[in-house]
Amino acid sequence: MTKMKSELTSQEILVAFKNQDWPVLERLIKQYTDYLLKGAYSLGFIGSEADDLVQNVWSTFFEILPRFEGNSQIKTFYTEYLSTNAENFVAKMSV
């Protein structure tokens, strides 16, 4: 089993986004998608709902990343959006 490289720092992620360094951004997504899925499962989402929620989190994350000020870790930043997107997802489903 190969050992995964260490977690990307917030600065590395911001530089990769600015430079459109897709291999680094792909590494980010691979590194944290399971983490986000576990979070979605813990919020009661299952199957395709959990997948859709995580996809929405990544979409939102890359949309707002340019406004990231570095006051927290990136992991904290997108974990907050998991919770926010979950609330929005539930609200849309109940309409």
Side-chain angles (χ1 to χ4, degrees), residues 10-57:
S10 296
Q11 185 63 30
E12 289 172 322
I13 294 166
L14 290 171
V15 168
F17 184 78
K18 181 180 177 185
N19 295 333
Q20 297 186 355
D21 187 343
W22 303 119
V24 172
L25 296 172
E26 183 178 335
R27 179 175 152 212
L28 169 72
I29 292 168
K30 286 181 180 179
Q31 205 166 35
Y32 290 111
T33 293
D34 283 344
Y35 170 81
L36 289 170
L37 278 170
K38 288 176 185 174
Y41 298 149
S42 73
L43 293 170
F45 293 87
I46 57 171
S48 64
E49 288 180 352
D51 292 336
D52 290 346
L53 177 60
V54 170
Q55 178 65 38
N56 194 290
V57 168

Side-chain angles (χ1 to χ4, degrees), residues 27 34 40 46 51 55 58 62 66 74 77 79-80 88 93:
R27 179 175 152 212
D34 283 344
I46 57 171
D51 292 336
Q55 178 65 38
W58 282 121
F62 285 114
I74 291 271
F77 187 64
T79 300
E80 288 177 22
N88 293 338
M93 290 175 57

